[in-house]
């Protein structure tokens, strides 16, 4: 169970960082590490919070 959560967080973080870096590179021609970290972490936190909320909604 804990391994699944760790893998989900790792995938959410890496996916979020990849999406933000791609956006910054395509539309702004540079990648700011501070913006990449904060936005990527916020996206991963939102994904994890949605996962927990969805699990609680499903079980009543």
């Amino acid at each position: 169970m804990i391994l699944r959560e760790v893998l989900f967080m790792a995938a959410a973080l890496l996916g979020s960082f990849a999406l933000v870096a791609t956006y910054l590179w395509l539309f702004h021609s540079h990648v700011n590490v501070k913006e990449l970290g904060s936005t990527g972490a916020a996206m991963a936190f939102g994904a994890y919070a949605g996962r927990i909320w969805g699990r609680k909604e499903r079980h009543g």
Side-chain angles (χ1 to χ4, degrees):
M1 185 75 165
I2 215 84
L3 178 63
R4 184 185 307 161
E5 297 298 321
V6 170
L7 289 175
F8 177 82
M9 279 303 294
L13 281 171
L14 292 176
S16 298
F17 290 152
L19 285 172
V20 173
T22 303
Y23 166 78
L24 289 173
W25 182 258
L26 286 175
F27 296 108
H28 299 287
S29 300
H30 71 283
V31 177
N32 184 354
V33 176
K34 183 179 176 184
E35 193 170 338
L36 174 67
S38 64
T39 307
M43 287 175 64
F45 177 76
Y48 192 71
R51 177 180 168 96
I52 292 172
W53 184 37
R55 191 179 308 150
K56 286 185 179 186
E57 288 290 315
R58 184 173 46 236
H59 293 294

